[in-house]
Amino acid sequence: MTEDSTKKDFHLSDQQVEVSLFGVNDSNLTLLEEGLNVNISAFGNKLTISGTNEDVDQTISIIKKLISITKKGIKIGQADIVSAIQMSQQETLDYFEDLYKEELIRDAKGKSVRVKSFGQRQYVKSIKKNDITFGIGPAGTGKTYLAVVMAVAALKKGLVQRLILTRPAVEAGENLGFLPGDLKEKVDPYLRPIYDALYAIMGADHVSRLMEREVIEIAPLAYMRGRTLDEAFVILDEAQNTTPEQMKMFLTRLGFGSKMIVNGDISQIDLPHNAKSGLVQAQNILQDLPHIDFVNFTSADVVRHPVVAEIIDAYEKNNRE
């Protein structure tokens, strides 16, 4: 053991907490070990944690936060472990328990949906406060899913009368022209992340019924032209692939009693060469307007497998070199 390394014991007082904290086959402890560069040995209700002084102390701080939320009856999973590690590394761990104070909605399986990162917390606050919220950042940060969650919650509370979800029909290296059907049918596969989010939150049958009644509309961006969208919750996904003209067209559809969310990842622009992104332009020219807010996500907000955040960081590093 080096001068900077240490070994500390941590005792668990509750067996139910122990089961939740460890995870299936100690998978949660493995995530803590990998994420914090420590070794954790479990003996009964005792954890022995070894590593550098700083890493061991950080691990114990995270375990205390995790225990605190499990004692409130909240079952933690791997996403919660990853979120706690990331918030600790970003020095926002003090806000970790705040993520669990508000249940946004219950999904189709009856599970509570809550924010999973500090960035998501800011995003939800912005959506509640502003007429138009831009969520900008990498894949895996929960932008689309949370936008749909907030939209469904608003619909259930009667704050809006319908949901409109759209994205530009830009081909990410593929050719849509040969596919059968009209534009909507051709673009439906590209709208799959939106369908997936809706199905997870409401169930496929309920979504289908609401689509038949036109309470939910999922369509390519071209279908928005010439409309005024009153009492609607409108989500534009993959907004980095809009042209400036399309972005202006979309934003000016905002009607009374409506909210808009515009999501995109400016590192994943699939527009033809030399074409400007409407999202990049909007970020530049709308930044200081009232009732509009921009929330920027980073790899620290990625709530998928930890390797996803590492991949994003590696690509960003490569692009800077």
Side-chain angles (χ1 to χ4, degrees):
M1 190 175 289
T2 64
E3 288 184 13
D4 186 40
S5 63
T6 189
K7 184 184 289 186
K8 292 184 180 180
D9 292 335
F10 186 88
H11 293 271
L12 301 164
S13 57
D14 188 325
Q15 190 173 9
Q16 285 300 107
V17 168
E18 180 183 318
V19 171
S20 182
L21 179 65
F22 288 12
V24 179
N25 296 324
D26 293 347
S27 56
N28 291 348
L29 297 185
T30 301
L31 276 179
L32 286 170
E33 286 182 319
E34 293 177 353
L36 296 160
N37 197 30
V38 295
N39 290 312
I40 302 176
S41 301
F43 303 97
N45 68 338
K46 183 180 79 172
L47 296 177
T48 300
I49 305 156
S50 56
T52 67
N53 290 315
E54 184 180 352
D55 290 340
V56 169
D57 287 344
Q58 192 176 20
T59 303
I60 290 173
S61 295
I62 289 172
I63 289 172
K64 287 178 178 178
K65 292 289 186 183
L66 292 168
I67 288 172
S68 179
I69 63 169
T70 57
K71 284 184 174 179
K72 295 172 183 174
I74 297 168
K75 186 177 180 181
I76 59 174
Q78 292 188 316
D80 303 287
I81 305 295
V82 172
S83 178
I85 292 170
Q86 290 170 337
M87 291 184 72
S88 179
Q89 291 169 342
Q90 296 291 313
E91 298 183 352
T92 56
L93 188 63
D94 287 346
Y95 299 100
F96 182 67
E97 290 182 72
D98 291 348
L99 305 184
Y100 298 85
K101 286 181 178 178
E102 182 184 8
E103 179 184 274
L104 300 178
I105 203 170
R106 286 189 176 266
D107 67 14
K109 295 180 179 179
K111 293 181 179 178
S112 296
V113 177
R114 297 180 173 90
V115 294
K116 293 288 186 184
S117 72
F118 186 71
Q120 287 190 0
R121 179 172 174 254
Q122 301 308 105
Y123 182 61
V124 166
K125 279 187 173 182
S126 177
I127 292 168
K128 290 179 178 179
K129 181 181 177 182
N130 296 283
D131 295 327
I132 301 175
T133 297
F134 287 80
I136 301 175
T141 48
K143 301 186 301 297
T144 299
Y145 183 75
L146 267 185
V148 174
V149 164
M150 297 300 287
V152 172
L155 182 68
K156 287 188 172 183
K157 291 174 183 174
L159 301 177
V160 295
Q161 298 303 309
R162 55 188 173 145
L163 310 184
I164 299 172
L165 308 102
T166 185
R167 64 184 288 182
V170 172
E171 306 158 45
E174 297 89 0
N175 191 338
L176 291 175
F178 71 90
L179 293 173
D182 60 18
L183 178 59
K184 184 180 183 302
E185 290 170 327
K186 289 180 179 184
V187 176
D188 263 0
Y190 290 82
L191 295 163
R192 181 52 51 190
I194 291 174
Y195 283 105
D196 289 345
L198 278 170
Y199 292 161
I201 298 160
M202 305 181 80
D205 290 342
H206 193 194
V207 171
S208 297
R209 288 195 297 271
L210 292 179
M211 289 181 71
E212 286 173 8
R213 289 161 46 196
E214 298 186 345
V215 174
I216 296 178
E217 178 183 350
I218 305 175
L221 184 57
Y223 281 48
M224 299 299 110
R225 194 172 298 277
R227 303 171 64 182
T228 300
L229 307 174
D230 290 323
E231 296 187 307
F233 205 116
V234 193
I235 299 170
L236 171 59
D237 210 24
E238 300 291 337
Q240 75 275 7
N241 290 327
T242 60
T243 64
E245 293 77 17
Q246 287 174 324
M247 179 62 77
K248 181 182 176 185
M249 178 276 291
F250 174 77
L251 294 174
T252 53
R253 300 307 94 200
L254 182 69
F256 291 106
S258 291
K259 276 187 182 288
M260 279 184 169
I261 301 178
V262 180
N263 289 330
D265 177 2
I266 56 178
S267 71
Q268 298 286 334
I269 297 172
D270 297 314
L271 290 166
H273 293 302
N274 301 321
K276 291 183 178 179
S277 168
L279 180 59
V280 173
Q281 186 195 59
Q283 195 174 16
N284 291 333
I285 66 177
L286 302 178
Q287 194 74 243
D288 299 320
L289 291 185
H291 312 298
I292 298 176
D293 191 30
F294 289 80
V295 178
N296 290 288
F297 293 89
T298 69
S299 59
D301 296 301
V302 172
V303 288
R304 294 179 181 171
H305 193 284
V307 172
V308 175
E310 293 172 10
I311 291 169
I312 291 167
D313 285 340
Y315 271 96
E316 287 180 353
K317 181 181 177 183
N318 182 69
N319 291 336
R320 289 193 298 267
E321 291 175 351

